[in-house]
Amino acid sequence: MDKAKPTGTPDGTVPDATGDSHGTAAEPGGSATAPDASTSPGADAATAPRPVGLTKVVPAAEPVEVAAPTVPGQAEEAAVPPATEPPATVPAPRAGGAPDAVVPAQQQAPAERPRPLHAPDPYSTPPYGEPGPWAPAPPVQRPVPTPAHGTYLPPGTPAHGTPVPPVPEAGPAQGGEWGRYDPWAAPGALVAESGGGPGERRRDRRAGRGRLVGAALVLALVAGAVGGYVGMRLERHGGLGTVELEQTSGQAGERAPDSVAGIAARTLPGVVTLHVSGGDGGALGTGFVLDGRGHILTNQHVVESASDGGSIRVTFNGGETARARLVGGDPGYDLAVVKVSGVSGLTPLPLGDSDDVRVGDPVVAIGAPFDLANTVTSGIISAKERPITAGGEKGDGTDISYVDALQTDAPINPGNSGGPLVDERARVIGINSAIHAAGGPARQDDSAGSVGLGFAIPVNQAKRVAEELINHGRATHPVIGVTLDMGYEGEGAKVGGEAAGGGPAVTPGGPADRTDIAAGDVITEVDGVPVASGEELIIKIRSHRPGDRLALTVERDGESRRVTLELGSSDPS
């Protein structure tokens, strides 16, 4: 085979890439033959000068060697092969049944890839767009100032276009081999951030922003709590400092005498609280001073246990206490008198006239309900001459009281028994004795509390009984001298057939006998006021004194007649 004659320039100038001005290219249709397979590599290859800037064209079956282009001043560097991996060997195609030959991979040009129409890029710039799956990632190259052509470079400086070793992979990354491509990083430098590239940095930035937002929320919560506490202090106390409230001058001033305060101020000094103990148990009640000698009026059911040798302790409005003794009592009127000794400075309460009381008059009740001493309540007179009976626990009728009572809505509770009911002039008009309970009127210590229905003994009746108890130790009862049939269910009070023990129902020589009242007669009116039962007739009679004259309406065999009689007297048994 003929060998192509190498052409070149004596001064070492590099032929142009086109091969038309500085060198001679292979003629069309001609071929540059490769060394014969029988030629010794050491004979021809060592002695023959290596052509520069020539391109050999060989048949498709033979490997083709393409010389790298050079630039002025870099001929020596261009001639040095890059420090890359050893060339891979690929099997050469068979020609005419020849055995397979192994040739270097870089000497074999793909037959299907056409020759580019432009000159090769001396800087090896990667192509635009994403590489195909068969192409390796291009080397990372940081842009640096390019020296002018012909500038002398120190030894060891790589020539332009010299391939740079690829950056070793730090590990798998998202996006393939282009995922960590950084055009501005230094050659061979790894990603500075530990753990990866831009994705990791974005996560770090998001984490930093999250921590910043969390800190801001905590700060806002703390500020809100502090602001709320300060606001609460300002709202409740009007400020953060000491609060001093304004107050008007402490002038007591006088109260009107007829006001509740004025009435209480005049009445309380004469009211006492009673604590009684005895064989039948204890009791609590109220009383008031009758005179300067120490007599105190109260209810019989309050001091009843003291009659068997019990003791009575009296507590005055100012807190002083004293022992008292029982002077006398009457269960039929539910009144009793006790006396304290060696006590001075007592304040007796004035007594009024219960006959002058009108419904609607204001009243004040004072007592010790549930042992709360000196309790003041107020109300009005709700009704007059309200016939009530209370007691009856003994079963023989000796403890039943018959009262033509004053009704009031002033609150009265257990412990008020025996206390005064006073009018607007601070005068006693009644003695509080009972309140309405389930089944009818009851004594106060047997009930749960006030329902607005309280009853007081009229003071006119209490005055007479108290005088008799102080003067004689016992009280008298006005009578008409008949025994009543308490089981009669018709209107009025019926005279019975016989007295207890078998005697006559009408007492011989008594007031009823002198006016021709006989057994079986029915008394329907007293002083023109109808009576509905035997209890009401007793109450009407008890509201008078012995010796008073009464007008009675009596029915016999369907005929009515009017009689007048003088009340007699009897000692209580």
Side-chain angles (χ1 to χ4, degrees):
M1 264 184 214
D2 295 335
K3 296 182 180 179
K5 182 179 180 180
T7 60
T9 55
D11 54 358
T13 58
V14 180
D16 197 322
T18 59
D20 57 356
S21 60
H22 297 282
T24 303
E27 295 178 358
S31 61
T33 60
D36 196 302
S38 62
T39 306
S40 172
D44 293 336
T47 58
R50 184 178 181 180
V52 179
L54 297 182
T55 302
K56 294 181 180 181
V57 179
V58 296
E62 297 182 2
V64 179
E65 180 181 355
V66 181
T70 58
V71 294
Q74 297 182 354
E76 296 80 5
E77 290 80 357
V80 180
T84 59
E85 297 180 1
T89 59
V90 297
R94 296 181 181 181
D100 294 340
V102 178
V103 295
Q106 68 270 21
Q107 294 182 4
Q108 180 179 359
E112 66 275 7
R113 180 177 296 178
R115 183 175 181 179
L117 302 179
H118 55 79
D121 186 4
Y123 300 102
S124 300
T125 303
Y128 293 103
E130 292 288 340
W134 60 85
V140 178
Q141 183 172 354
R142 187 181 184 88
V144 294
T146 303
H149 291 283
T151 304
Y152 174 78
L153 296 176
T157 303
H160 290 285
T162 303
V164 180
V167 179
E169 298 182 3
Q174 298 179 354
E177 298 190 13
W178 282 89
R180 293 189 306 274
Y181 175 70
D182 184 4
W184 308 109
L190 295 175
V191 179
E193 293 79 9
S194 62
E200 186 69 25
R201 289 195 296 272
R202 285 193 296 270
R203 286 193 293 272
D204 292 342
R205 286 195 295 271
R206 286 196 295 268
R209 287 195 296 269
R211 288 191 292 270
L212 181 61
V213 172
L217 289 177
V218 172
L219 181 60
L221 290 175
V222 172
V226 173
Y229 175 76
V230 173
M232 179 270 294
R233 296 284 299 180
L234 291 175
E235 180 181 358
R236 290 188 178 181
H237 304 286
L240 300 178
T242 303
V243 176
E244 294 184 3
L245 303 177
E246 296 183 359
Q247 188 176 12
T248 58
S249 59
Q251 297 179 357
E254 294 295 333
R255 300 295 187 268
D258 58 349
S259 66
V260 175
I263 296 170
R266 288 182 289 170
T267 305
L268 281 171
V271 180
V272 299
T273 302
L274 302 176
H275 293 86
V276 182
S277 61
D280 295 337
L284 168 69
T286 308
F288 62 94
V289 179
L290 290 173
D291 54 28
R293 292 184 293 180
H295 292 104
I296 296 172
L297 182 63
T298 186
N299 283 136
Q300 167 64 22
H301 72 264
V302 173
V303 297
E304 184 177 5
S305 60
S307 59
D308 298 332
S311 63
I312 303 173
R313 180 166 57 90
V314 177
T315 303
F316 294 89
N317 180 62
E320 303 87 353
T321 61
R323 293 291 176 178
R325 64 178 180 85
L326 180 61
V327 174
D330 191 300
Y333 290 109
D334 196 19
L335 292 171
V337 175
V338 300
K339 183 179 181 181
V340 295
S341 301
V343 179
S344 60
L346 298 177
T347 306
L349 296 185
L351 303 181
D353 186 356
S354 55
D355 290 340
D356 293 338
V357 174
R358 297 293 181 266
V359 175
D361 285 348
V363 291
V364 173
I366 301 177
F370 302 102
D371 206 12
L372 300 174
N374 306 320
T375 297
V376 178
T377 59
S378 64
I380 61 171
I381 294 295
S382 302
K384 290 181 62 175
E385 299 178 354
R386 185 74 75 186
I388 66 169
T389 59
E393 289 81 5
K394 291 184 178 180
D396 56 1
T398 58
D399 62 336
I400 298 178
S401 59
Y402 301 89
V403 180
D404 200 20
L406 298 174
Q407 180 181 329
T408 179
D409 66 347
I412 298 174
N413 293 284
N416 276 106
S417 293
L421 183 70
V422 299
D423 60 10
E424 72 277 6
R425 299 175 64 179
R427 299 176 304 182
V428 179
I429 60 173
I431 292 84
N432 302 318
S433 299
I435 62 176
H436 191 276
R443 290 173 177 173
Q444 295 170 36
D445 51 1
D446 298 331
S447 58
S450 173
V451 293
L453 296 173
F455 303 98
I457 301 171
V459 71
N460 291 359
Q461 181 176 337
K463 177 180 178 296
R464 179 186 67 83
V465 174
E467 291 173 347
E468 291 182 353
L469 293 174
I470 293 172
N471 296 325
H472 309 287
R474 63 183 184 273
T476 60
H477 297 170
V479 295
I480 62 173
V482 297
T483 301
L484 299 177
D485 182 7
M486 304 304 292
Y488 177 70
E489 296 180 355
E491 289 293 328
K494 183 179 182 180
V495 180
E498 59 181 16
V506 178
T507 303
D513 186 36
R514 292 193 297 265
T515 58
D516 195 21
I517 296 177
D521 290 348
V522 178
I523 302 173
T524 58
E525 293 181 357
V526 175
D527 289 340
V529 178
V531 292
S533 63
E535 288 84 359
E536 286 194 19
L537 179 61
I538 296 173
I539 291 170
K540 295 299 183 182
I541 294 172
R542 293 277 181 95
S543 64
H544 293 81
R545 293 173 180 268
D548 291 346
R549 298 184 66 85
L550 294 180
L552 303 178
T553 300
V554 181
E555 287 186 0
R556 181 184 296 175
D557 297 334
E559 295 182 359
S560 297
R561 61 188 178 94
R562 188 179 182 89
V563 298
T564 301
L565 55 78
E566 183 179 340
L567 294 176
S569 175
S570 70
D571 293 334
S573 57

